[in-house]
Amino acid sequence: MSINRAEKITMGTALAAILSFALLQTFHRGLYGTLPERLYLFLHSGMELLGFAVSFTMLVLGWTFFVRTLSKHRLYTAALFGAVGLFDLLHSLTAAGMPFYRMIGAMPMSLLFSKAAQLAGSLGVFFIFRANDGTVSARRRLPVFLTAFVVSGAFSLALFRLPSGAIPLLGAEGHVKLVRLALESLIAVAYIGTIFMVLYRNRNERPQALLTIVQSLVFFLVSDMQFMLCAGAHDSDLLIGHVYKLVGYYFLMKGIYYVTVEEPYRQYKRTESRINFLAYHDELTGLSNRRLLKEQLNEELRLAQLNSARVGVFLFDIDRFKTINDALGHSFGDRMLQAVSDRLRLEVDGANRVYRMGGDEFVMLMPNLEDGEGAVDERAKAIMGMFDAPFVLDDAEYHITISLGVSFYPKDGDSVETLLKNADTALYSAKAHRNEYSSYEPEMNRKTHDRLRLESDLRRAIDEEQFALAYQPLVNLTSGKVVGVEALVRWHHPKRGLLPPGEFIPLTEENGLILQLGEWVLGAACRQNKLWQDAGLPPMMMSVNLSMRQFRQHQLAERIKAILEQTGMPPRYLELEITESMTSDVEFAAETLASLKELGVQISIDDFGTGYSSLSSLKRFPIDKLKIDRCFVNDLAKGGSDAAIVSTITDMAKNLKLKVTAEGVENDEQIQFLRERNCEEAQGYYYTQPIPANLFENWFRHRSQLA
């Protein structure tokens, strides 16, 4: 166990007290002597008054400073030493040569008050620190302090009114010595017990204030041991004992000072430092934030203007980070951001600075950037190269890419706001392709404006139902029969005409409209399939894609069940398509898919082969079909790796008792290859492109007649 600085100081202080006591006893014969009465009285009274001042100060602090942080230990200690201070004051006033001096039997009253103070202090702290600390109401102050003063005052008054011979035990000198030795032994045992108890109860974490109190208890213990050795009323041993007691009061006061002044001040400074840090840094990653970026970029622009230099603003974000958050949860996303920040901090050149703008957006500021596109390309590739190596989280590797937008001073703007806005515009241009970087060009503003307008139109389109479904058949390769269709959404834009999904689906995923659109697609597809069945077409499977957000939607199974009940379509004719990325969180995916299967629907994994699902997790999912992505089907006739991948997928599916559908089929060679590999179904332009419901019905009837 490591020893901190406060513990070392406590050990050193205790050792110094013990060694000084041992040295005094070693040279006791030469140091011992009797002081003149007046000198002793002066020194003794001064030290007792100092002790009373410390006790009174503790009382005042307990009444005033601890109001907001009042605890049992602080309240009872303040009240205790208020009583101890009273006994010390009366001990001084009743000493030989003072106005209230008197004897009770063979014992001076001052000695009784001295032992009362020591006994109350030693036993009091023992019982106070024996119990657990805890907060108490400020209303408890008055009752506790009154009790302490009433008890100590009543005891003091009783001693003053006690006749000289009222205590027979104190009538003889020998008896007085025995009583004194017994009291001093009890006091010593109480101090020793308190020291060990405090250290043991706080063995895991030893606060500095408690350690300082332990130091005071050590000196009180040595003081008591010194009192045991004194033989006369005015000897040096008695005075040295009072010196030890005064040192104990010093450390006690030091502990109180630490609790009331130093510790709150340090806490205030820590809080102030934390507030200042958070004002200019991101709490999650520790990187500089947007506010500091603006201040420092503004300063760099001022210097660049003086030196005719060029400043680069490189804004980048993580590709598909929303998918990571949706699939693996926001806590995992936060850990990914922290890992990205740690890598940036380690790998970024000291001349450049990195900032977190918010979300998954980061900025790298590059002052004094060299002229020429080559320098920009080099810097951009260096930033993107930082993400080549995978990130290891929970013993798993995750590969991520970034998109990067760049703007420059003075070419693309001469103010902080303009440069950041233009870098953001360039970033949106790069994100159209992902894992790319783009430098700002003025025409990008038009594209950004078009994108914003399209997003606005999209919200209106959902309200006005400007969407329609197109259907692409799924054909059994053995029988040639149409066994199903896939519903694909299209947008009939009032001004731009028919828009394919690629132009608006990413927007709906970003702004959350995919949930509304997804439910509309599912309902429209189920209604259409029921209409075809009612019109006499044979029952066929209706395939509908689920987005990531839909898949993680609360009560997804209940929503789909409600749509099936509203449309009247049997669940066995609905096939829900998910992607491999949705199954990254294996436990969640398995639970969600199980709830969907309970409805009686079919489940397929779309674009299989392009994700990261493992066979060990795949066999846990209640799926019915794998759909081979079109990128593997395109070059089947040429052989090579694509043909090997398709063969592997079909063999694996057969062993797992799963169906296989090949997407993007366009020619006879592909059809022949897939048949030879026992692929059950195919869809693509070989049969027809996605067509509206009325055209599909005509196409189906025509194909059935030819067959």
Side-chain angles (χ1 to χ4, degrees), residues 1 32 172 181 236 278 283 301 309 336 358 361 390 392 401 421 480 493 538 602 605 672 675:
M1 182 179 68
Y32 180 80
L181 181 62
S236 57
L278 292 178
E283 184 175 10
L301 294 180
M336 177 64 76
E361 283 191 343
V392 180
T401 58
K421 180 179 72 69
H493 193 279
Q602 301 290 297
I605 295 186
Q672 183 62 32
R675 282 176 177 159

Side-chain angles (χ1 to χ4, degrees), residues 518-707:
E519 286 201 13
W520 179 87
V521 169
L522 188 61
C526 291
R527 279 192 295 272
Q528 184 59 61
N529 199 22
K530 185 67 168 60
L531 287 173
W532 281 334
Q533 293 180 22
D534 294 343
L537 269 67
M540 65 183 74
M541 191 69 65
M542 175 64 71
S543 296
V544 179
N545 291 281
L546 289 181
S547 70
M548 175 67 77
R549 289 204 175 193
Q550 278 182 285
F551 189 66
R552 298 193 69 88
Q553 192 175 16
H554 181 59
Q555 295 182 331
L556 175 63
E558 287 78 359
R559 292 172 181 271
I560 293 176
K561 180 180 179 181
I563 291 173
L564 289 170
E565 291 175 350
Q566 291 170 5
T567 58
M569 192 184 87
R572 64 180 179 275
Y573 296 124
L574 175 62
E575 181 178 82
L576 299 174
E577 296 187 11
I578 65 172
T579 60
E580 286 183 88
S581 59
M582 297 184 192
T583 63
S584 300
D585 186 342
V586 177
E587 297 299 328
F588 175 83
E591 181 180 348
T592 303
L593 292 175
S595 65
L596 294 175
K597 283 296 292 182
E598 289 179 1
L599 299 177
V601 302
Q602 301 290 297
I603 296 174
S604 66
I605 295 186
D606 195 15
D607 301 334
F608 187 77
T610 61
Y612 303 100
S613 59
S614 62
L615 293 179
S616 60
S617 60
L618 191 64
K619 66 181 182 181
R620 292 186 54 187
F621 302 143
I623 57 176
D624 304 284
K625 183 191 295 184
L626 301 179
K627 298 188 74 173
I628 303 174
D629 188 75
R630 66 183 67 250
C631 67
F632 301 120
V633 177
N634 289 339
D635 297 325
L636 281 182
K638 299 178 182 178
S641 59
D642 286 344
I645 291 172
V646 171
S647 298
T648 301
I649 293 175
T650 53
D651 290 342
M652 178 192 68
K654 183 178 180 181
N655 292 328
L656 293 175
K657 296 181 174 56
L658 301 176
K659 292 182 179 180
V660 181
T661 298
E663 298 180 299
V665 176
E666 296 182 356
N667 54 58
D668 290 320
E669 290 82 1
Q670 294 169 344
I671 293 291
Q672 183 62 32
F673 182 92
L674 293 169
R675 282 176 177 159
E676 292 174 357
R677 297 302 183 276
N678 296 318
C679 178
E680 285 90 349
E681 300 170 357
Q683 71 178 97
Y685 283 10
Y686 179 81
Y687 301 107
T688 179
Q689 63 182 359
I691 52 179
N694 58 338
L695 295 182
F696 175 81
E697 185 175 346
N698 294 335
W699 176 88
F700 180 85
R701 294 185 186 280
H702 179 70
R703 180 181 175 85
S704 299
Q705 291 173 359
L706 292 178

